[in-house]
Amino acid sequence: MIVACPACATRYDFPSQRFSASGTMVRCVECGHSWIESRPAEIIDIQPRPLPMQSQASAVIEPELEPAEDREVRRLTEAARMVREEFAVRQRRRRREQLGWGAFALAVLAPFALAVTEPEMTVRLMPASMGVFDRLGMTVNIYGLEVRRVEQQHVMVDGTRVISIKGEIVNVSDEDRKVPSLRFILKDAAQSDVYAWTLDSGIRPLRPGEMTTFTTRVASPPPTAEDVQIRFAHADEIGVNPGHVTH
């Protein structure tokens, strides 16, 4: 007996004895669909015999009632189908929620990822973020320039102590860079600022890989000065007269 799955059309060859006249539950191993299959009816060719008029008139065909076990099979089959449909609905709803949360997390984390991968751009757009990077111990070079080969000399000129500082400025970026003013800060043994001044480079922009030198001197520096810090000057530091730093 050839049986075909109503859902996926997969065909199976079963002995007809496996099926009852009232129907047997069959489950497709390919797609999992279940249905009730009945044994094919046997057709017997017999010669009709005339019935008495009374018998013909009183003949009544009684419908065959469905057995209780078959009704239970149908109920279980329908319940299983509803469970599968509810599970599929929950799966679709969960996927939509996961996509929504993923988009929300991306929108929240994108600025932080940009700040970490492009700190120079972040500081240009938000100068106040420079303090955050400093606290995180991240050096952000927004100028594309580096100060190198710094040398410091202490000499006496006509009985006056003079500190001479010289070094190089190198363009480490891949585009032309304007050289801003340099800020020099003398520090004592406790690394506290004791004296500061600004030097205007006054040179043309440097091309990629190009280098220039600088030299600056300060006479009669504070006797507690032991170290010097060099950085590029902030806007509010340009044009400020050199002098002692007060705390």
Side-chain angles (χ1 to χ4, degrees):
M1 176 177 175
I2 303 300
V3 177
C5 174
C8 65
T10 301
R11 298 169 66 85
Y12 301 93
D13 187 3
F14 295 114
S16 59
Q17 299 92 308
R18 293 185 56 180
F19 300 95
S20 64
S22 58
T24 301
M25 176 64 63
V26 181
R27 183 176 183 273
C28 179
V29 297
E30 293 294 329
C31 66
H33 179 72
S34 298
W35 74 97
I36 295 177
E37 189 73 35
S38 300
R39 181 189 303 170
E42 297 182 2
I43 301 176
I44 301 176
D45 186 14
I46 59 174
Q47 295 295 327
R49 291 180 300 173
L51 297 175
M53 293 298 296
Q54 183 178 1
S55 300
Q56 292 181 4
S58 60
V60 178
I61 300 176
E62 295 290 342
E64 183 180 357
L65 297 178
E66 184 180 27
E69 60 182 28
D70 290 347
R71 290 197 300 271
E72 180 65 14
V73 169
R74 291 182 183 276
R75 187 186 68 79
L76 294 176
T77 302
E78 181 66 16
R81 182 187 64 79
M82 295 179 63
V83 169
R84 289 196 299 269
E85 291 180 354
E86 291 177 0
F87 177 76
V89 170
R90 289 196 300 269
Q91 286 289 89
R92 289 193 294 269
R93 185 184 301 115
R94 185 176 303 141
R95 283 194 292 268
R96 287 196 298 268
E97 292 176 353
Q98 290 174 347
L99 290 175
W101 280 111
F104 175 75
L106 181 62
V108 171
L109 297 178
F112 297 97
L114 178 64
V116 173
T117 57
E118 298 291 341
E120 292 84 4
M121 181 185 299
T122 302
V123 173
R124 291 195 194 101
L125 296 175
M126 297 182 294
S129 63
M130 176 67 80
V132 178
F133 287 111
D134 290 341
R135 286 191 292 272
L136 294 176
M138 298 178 59
T139 301
V140 182
N141 187 351
I142 63 174
Y143 302 101
L145 304 170
E146 286 186 2
V147 178
R148 299 176 178 177
R149 307 172 72 92
V150 176
E151 297 180 6
Q152 181 179 347
Q153 293 181 340
H154 297 256
V155 298
M156 297 296 294
V157 179
D158 297 331
T160 302
R161 182 187 173 205
V162 177
I163 295 180
S164 176
I165 303 172
K166 62 180 180 179
E168 299 174 351
I169 302 176
V170 183
N171 183 355
V172 295
S173 70
D174 55 359
E175 58 185 20
D176 291 358
R177 293 286 185 168
K178 180 181 178 181
V179 181
S181 299
L182 291 175
R183 183 69 170 175
F184 298 83
I185 304 173
L186 296 180
K187 294 178 174 290
D188 59 16
Q191 292 300 301
S192 298
D193 301 347
V194 295
Y195 193 82
W197 72 99
T198 303
L199 174 66
D200 183 6
S201 61
I203 66 171
R204 61 171 176 78
L206 296 178
R207 292 187 289 271
E210 195 172 16
M211 179 267 293
T212 186
T213 61
F214 65 87
T215 301
T216 184
R217 299 178 179 86
V218 58
S220 301
T224 57
E226 294 187 5
D227 195 10
V228 62
Q229 179 191 46
I230 306 174
R231 59 173 172 78
F232 295 107
H234 301 156
D236 57 353
E237 296 171 337
I238 299 175
V240 177
N241 294 328
H244 295 270
V245 178
T246 58
H247 301 279

